[in-house]
Amino acid sequence: MRTTAVDVQSVSKRFRLYHEKYSSLKEKVIHAGRVPHEDLWALRDVSFEVPEGETVGILGRNGSGKSTLLKCICGILQPTSGQVVVRGKLAGLLELGAGFQQELSGRENIYLNGSMLGLSKRAVDRMFDDIVDFAELGQFIDNQVKYYSSGMYVRLGFAVAVNVDPDVLVIDEVLAVGDERFQRKCMERVKQFQREGRTILFVSHSPDLVRSICDRAVVLSDGEMIGMASPGEAVRLFRERLLAAGDVLGASEAAAALDGATAEQPPEVRVLSDPQSVRSDPQSGDVAGGLPPLRLAPQESRPVRFTEVTCLLPAAGERPYVLPGEPVTIRASFEAARAVTGVVFQLEVRGDGGTGLFRTDSEILGVTCDLEQGPGTFEFRLEAVPLLDGSYDVNVGVETPRGLSDWREPACSFEVMNPSRSTGFVAVPVSGALVAGGALQSVPAGR
Amino acid sequence: MAIEAPAQPPDAGSAAVTSVLDGEGPVTARPKTTRVVSSDVAVWSRLKEVWRSRELLVYLVRTEIKVKYKNSFLGLLWSMLSPALTLAVYTLVFGVVLHDGMPNFAIYLFSGILVWNLFSTGILTATGVVVNNAGLVKKVSFPREILALAAVGSAGVFFFFQACVMVLFMAVLHWAPAWSLLYLVLVALVPTLVLSCALGIFLAAINVYMRDTQHLVTVLVGSAWFWACPIVYSFQTTVASRLAHHHLTWLYFMNPLTILVMSFQRALYARLTPPSTYAPHAPLHVLPHWSALTYVWGDALVLAFALVLFYVAMVVFGRLAGNFAEEL
């Protein structure tokens, strides 16, 4: 079995929030012993292990303790209780750039950072050119870092962190900075690290990034770890939590908006479709793999909720799957707590491993909906599902002008069975013809 | 606090599994140190960690000096110029205006100032060092004590330059030190450094939580403590008799700097009773007639005190360091 690279053992971190910050002696004396404060537990009893060579993402909304956790792992903050055991050299990139001394040049900072990571001057000498190359700083390397642009700053920070040969790399949302090309370069380096069996811990706001590069992900909410799971499962947990907390929506604002929206027109019944094609109603079909609905706390701020989401398959009575190219309808039944205008329904189809295959919403299709109070149904009609074998998850969402009102992930799923022997993801209509130079010979059936 | 300890021997199975993962380098197979991040790490392990980071210490000392004179025209020359100018002013005031007849007053003054500057520069720089390096403290993990030690270290570098000025000065004035007692300089230097480190570490941590510390220390050390030491005046000629009269000599020597300063003066100024420049036949009692052993014992006592203080400072620092990143 693999050894543990990072072992987080029931780490808790308490911050004292002072209503007034008394940092001068006079104030401290005056208010000695009775400074009003609140205890804020940024982390509560978080425990997990990261085996060597694994890439683990940390998901959580703002203020959930992600950065505090990373700082504890890096040794910048001490946990109030519990401990973190890190095996091997750890290089971290927290928030914007690494720790640089503003007055020093980029060159001097590289050596300073290197010695902080425990490298000798000679070791840094060997890496120096790689770092400068990677950071693309060129002649700016001898300028003081206080004159660097934020992009240069981050590039240098990343270049140092990935070139000092760390065993454990910790990255906190820094990949969002820098141009696309540099981001790609960073991702390549991260993937190279994965191949080399290094351990990576990283925080990202982008669930897609977590899905695509992490082996597992930890989900934090209000300082508590609510799960450590495969990326797909973790992203689902994360999204659920996001909704349950009502974080997507400013509650009071949404209520105010609804009060104003009283005189609404009756919703027009319209079939949504891409402009170039119009098709008949889909056949109603069986429910293929619905998930138990999320239990969301009733909140004024989310006026529209899904009650049931089903995938309607064309030949539901005969087979619980579709063939490539057959239509599928996603029927979302919802309940509107009040009349709401400008509602947008969202659809997302994901393949195995959570790869995003298709995403659209009613606004992209050219309409928004004005809903009446009470139940209703919205249908996304996929006229053809040009996919090959696999199980596909369907996520649906509903958004009011004030924000996301409900999101189901996965709301339902459908399976595609591929009768042909072509492989891959997409059912491309294809035929073969020998145009010249011989005669076609049919393959005997059964081969 | 993060500390590093030698790795446990890796179990054979792990190496076998991980070596399959990559052909590029034995990343997972190489020996690794284990680091424990916890709020409860013993002073001794932290000292070992500091020792392991000694290369960083050297680098930070260089950084400290570089940053101090960055963008200044004369640069490092200031480290010699500023004591020379201070010396010139004091010599003018006490050697000429408030003249008390001490021959080569500048030498006397400089021998005291040397050790005083090492101490005061060290702790004054150290007090602000964590706050001034917030950018590093908030982003990188390293033993934070190193910052305070680096501040004292940079004061040590300045001490070296000033000592060079002193040697030059003595050569120009043909003033010989007490050659047989020159070792007292080293004997006094060690407790000075330990004391500076102890106070520096303590004040650096306190200053993060109470920013007034910086100002308070500037006032207390810069004036009160300075005048409590026999640097500008002579203990023997000025205060000794009055202190003895009130039985307060012990109080005067409670100031650990006093004996250190006097050790320097004994070794460098060397003359106990030089003839006054006013009346050549009336000798001036500048330094007490103590044996070398008295100085050594005095310095040793200060060293013992400084070591205790150092331990206390490390404990306090360790307890406060965990929250530096959030306080800055």
Side-chain angles (χ1 to χ4, degrees):
Chain A
M1 73 152 266
R2 290 200 220 169
T3 41
T4 305
V6 179
D7 190 0
V8 178
Q9 298 166 354
S10 55
V11 165
S12 297
K13 177 74 193 171
R14 180 187 58 208
F15 289 118
R16 288 245 154 105
L17 287 187
Y18 295 96
H19 298 298
E20 307 255 349
K21 184 86 191 145
Y22 301 124
S23 61
S24 79
L25 187 62
K26 183 191 83 184
E27 288 170 332
K28 284 221 166 160
V29 170
I30 292 173
H31 301 276
R34 50 191 173 84
V35 184
H37 69 266
E38 273 174 58
D39 280 349
L40 174 85
W41 288 90
L43 293 174
R44 284 173 211 260
D45 200 24
V46 174
S47 298
F48 61 90
E49 285 181 20
V50 181
E52 218 163 52
E54 198 165 275
T55 301
V56 170
I58 298 174
L59 282 168
R61 49 196 194 95
N62 288 333
S64 59
K66 294 177 306 232
S67 296
T68 307
L69 179 59
L70 282 199
K71 281 182 183 163
C72 285
I73 291 171
C74 291
I76 290 164
L77 287 177
Q78 279 172 21
T80 310
S81 67
Q83 62 174 12
V84 181
V85 181
V86 180
R87 200 160 161 272
K89 186 164 43 167
L90 181 144
L93 261 177
L94 298 175
E95 290 142 21
L96 262 183
F100 291 137
Q101 164 65 262
Q102 297 293 316
E103 297 290 329
L104 295 181
S105 69
R107 178 187 301 273
E108 289 159 337
N109 266 303
I110 290 174
Y111 283 96
L112 181 61
N113 259 279
S115 57
M116 284 185 170
L117 289 164
L119 296 173
S120 65
K121 185 173 179 305
R122 206 169 309 140
V124 181
D125 281 339
R126 277 199 305 273
M127 301 163 179
F128 188 81
D129 289 338
D130 287 341
I131 294 175
V132 179
D133 275 356
F134 194 94
E136 300 166 15
L137 280 173
Q139 79 269 27
F140 296 113
I141 195 65
D142 286 315
N143 288 30
Q144 281 170 276
V145 296
K146 65 177 171 187
Y147 299 123
Y148 280 18
S149 70
S150 59
M152 289 156 82
Y153 209 82
V154 173
R155 291 208 302 271
L156 184 59
F158 193 87
V160 172
V162 299
N163 281 296
V164 291
D165 194 26
D167 299 302
V168 180
L169 181 67
V170 173
I171 314 170
D172 189 0
E173 330 209 9
V174 282
L175 293 181
V177 209
D179 59 14
E180 215 168 281
R181 202 179 49 81
F182 188 74
Q183 278 182 33
R184 218 166 30 239
K185 195 156 99 177
C186 294
M187 285 313 299
E188 272 163 28
R189 187 55 71 99
V190 166
K191 284 179 179 153
Q192 183 194 331
F193 270 29
Q194 290 180 317
R195 284 196 301 276
E196 290 168 359
R198 297 177 208 254
T199 312
I200 302 171
L201 267 171
F202 94 121
V203 163
S204 172
H205 276 317
S206 152
D208 276 337
L209 199 58
V210 170
R211 245 192 259 264
S212 65
I213 69 171
C214 291
D215 299 314
R216 283 191 298 160
V218 171
V219 185
L220 288 178
S221 174
D222 291 325
E224 279 172 71
M225 189 173 121
I226 54 175
M228 180 170 192
S230 63
E233 180 71 7
V235 169
R236 195 179 63 82
L237 264 172
F238 168 60
R239 289 228 166 112
E240 270 181 37
R241 204 39 85 109
L242 213 58
L243 270 176
D247 187 58
V248 193
L249 210 59
S252 54
E253 290 173 14
L258 288 165
D259 289 340
T262 42
E264 285 185 46
Q265 283 142 11
E268 205 183 325
V269 178
R270 267 183 73 175
V271 174
L272 277 192
S273 62
D274 278 325
Q276 63 265 45
S277 63
V278 178
R279 53 159 287 128
S280 61
D281 282 350
Q283 307 90 320
S284 58
D286 228 353
V287 179
L291 271 190
L294 287 172
R295 290 196 210 300
L296 297 172
Q299 266 184 28
E300 280 300 290
S301 53
R302 300 205 306 275
V304 188
R305 311 286 180 74
F306 291 116
T307 49
E308 192 180 22
V309 182
T310 53
C311 294
L312 307 177
L313 310 181
E318 304 154 32
R319 42 186 165 88
Y321 54 86
V322 291
L323 301 174
E326 283 190 322
V328 170
T329 295
I330 316 299
R331 174 178 290 168
S333 304
F334 58 86
E335 181 86 31
R338 315 152 173 255
V340 199
T341 53
V343 173
V344 174
F345 289 89
Q346 303 166 329
L347 174 76
E348 203 173 76
V349 179
R350 289 189 177 273
D352 290 334
T355 325
L357 295 176
F358 180 61
R359 185 182 295 141
T360 192
D361 63 39
S362 58
E363 196 169 24
I364 294 172
L365 300 175
V367 288
T368 60
C369 307
D370 295 344
L371 303 182
E372 285 176 345
Q373 185 180 350
T377 306
F378 188 91
E379 286 186 352
F380 279 106
R381 291 158 188 179
L382 309 179
E383 288 165 32
V385 178
L387 297 170
L388 294 180
D389 292 273
S391 174
Y392 298 90
D393 285 341
V394 176
N395 306 332
V396 295
V398 56
E399 197 179 5
T400 67
R402 287 293 174 172
L404 198 58
S405 182
D406 202 355
W407 177 264
R408 297 297 169 96
E409 173 167 354
C412 60
S413 63
F414 60 87
E415 268 182 61
V416 180
M417 291 289 279
N418 170 21
S420 83
R421 288 169 58 195
S422 311
T423 57
F425 293 112
V426 185
V428 179
V430 61
S431 63
L434 181 69
V435 179
L440 282 173
Q441 204 72 41
S442 294
V443 181
R447 237 183 78 180
Chain B
M1 188 46 44
I3 66 140
E4 279 187 23
Q8 323 278 308
D11 44 322
S14 74
V17 172
T18 47
S19 58
V20 180
L21 282 173
D22 67 290
E24 303 194 43
V27 174
T28 50
R30 61 191 181 194
K32 285 171 191 164
T33 52
T34 301
R35 207 165 50 100
V36 178
V37 185
S38 157
S39 55
D40 188 25
V41 177
V43 168
W44 180 241
S45 353
R46 277 167 42 217
L47 283 176
K48 279 197 282 191
E49 175 68 3
V50 167
W51 173 248
R52 220 169 277 129
S53 314
R54 57 194 180 277
E55 194 156 349
L56 173 63
L57 178 62
V58 173
Y59 203 82
L60 281 173
V61 169
R62 283 171 48 188
T63 304
E64 187 76 37
I65 294 169
K66 236 181 247 177
V67 169
K68 193 163 184 170
Y69 294 111
K70 201 111 204 173
N71 303 331
S72 76
F73 181 65
L74 291 177
L76 210 51
L77 210 58
W78 276 114
S79 65
M80 301 190 202
L81 264 181
S82 61
L85 291 175
T86 316
L87 197 67
V89 171
Y90 279 141
T91 312
L92 196 72
V93 173
F94 293 98
V96 180
V97 182
L98 302 173
H99 193 39
D100 67 349
M102 198 190 295
N104 273 331
F105 178 71
I107 303 274
Y108 176 83
L109 185 60
F110 208 172
S111 27
I113 287 233
L114 258 184
V115 64
W116 171 259
N117 271 358
L118 172 60
F119 173 75
S120 71
T121 314
I123 67 169
L124 279 175
T125 322
T127 303
V129 81
V130 174
V131 173
N132 293 342
N133 284 289
L136 296 179
V137 172
K138 284 201 280 191
K139 297 286 163 102
V140 196
S141 164
F142 59 95
R144 276 79 168 93
E145 296 89 344
I146 291 243
L147 285 173
L149 297 183
V152 176
S154 67
V157 173
F158 295 136
F159 171 83
F160 174 76
F161 288 126
Q162 291 170 15
C164 294
V165 176
M166 177 77 177
V167 169
L168 207 73
F169 217 63
M170 289 169 80
V172 169
L173 293 176
H174 298 292
W175 188 270
W179 293 108
S180 59
L181 291 176
L182 213 51
Y183 65 87
L184 278 182
V185 168
L186 278 179
V187 170
L189 200 57
V190 175
T192 311
L193 283 171
V194 177
L195 192 66
S196 309
C197 290
L199 279 172
I201 287 173
F202 180 76
L203 292 170
I206 298 293
N207 190 47
V208 175
Y209 295 86
M210 281 183 277
R211 302 289 163 92
D212 323 44
T213 312
Q214 181 88 66
H215 308 290
L216 198 66
V217 169
T218 311
V219 174
L220 285 184
V221 173
S223 49
W225 203 335
F226 178 73
W227 291 100
C229 304
I231 298 168
V232 175
Y233 57 91
S234 149
F235 165 72
Q236 204 62 19
T237 45
T238 322
V239 290
S241 59
R242 265 177 279 174
L243 284 171
H245 184 253
H246 294 287
H247 303 286
L248 286 175
T249 311
W250 62 272
L251 187 67
Y252 192 75
F253 282 93
M254 285 299 276
N255 171 9
L257 258 288
T258 304
I259 190 69
L260 301 177
V261 166
M262 287 172 74
S263 301
F264 263 68
Q265 290 166 341
R266 179 68 188 85
L268 298 176
Y269 188 70
R271 320 299 195 264
L272 303 183
T273 50
S276 168
T277 47
Y278 286 143
H281 301 296
L284 203 61
H285 294 280
V286 174
L287 291 169
H289 287 272
W290 292 343
S291 69
L293 209 60
T294 315
Y295 287 105
V296 172
W297 268 110
D299 293 342
L301 274 176
V302 175
L303 179 63
F305 169 72
L307 284 171
V308 172
L309 203 65
F310 186 82
Y311 182 80
V312 173
M314 284 295 282
V315 170
V316 171
F317 194 96
R319 293 197 45 180
L320 297 179
N323 290 333
F324 279 175
E326 68 207 57
E327 286 287 336
L328 288 171

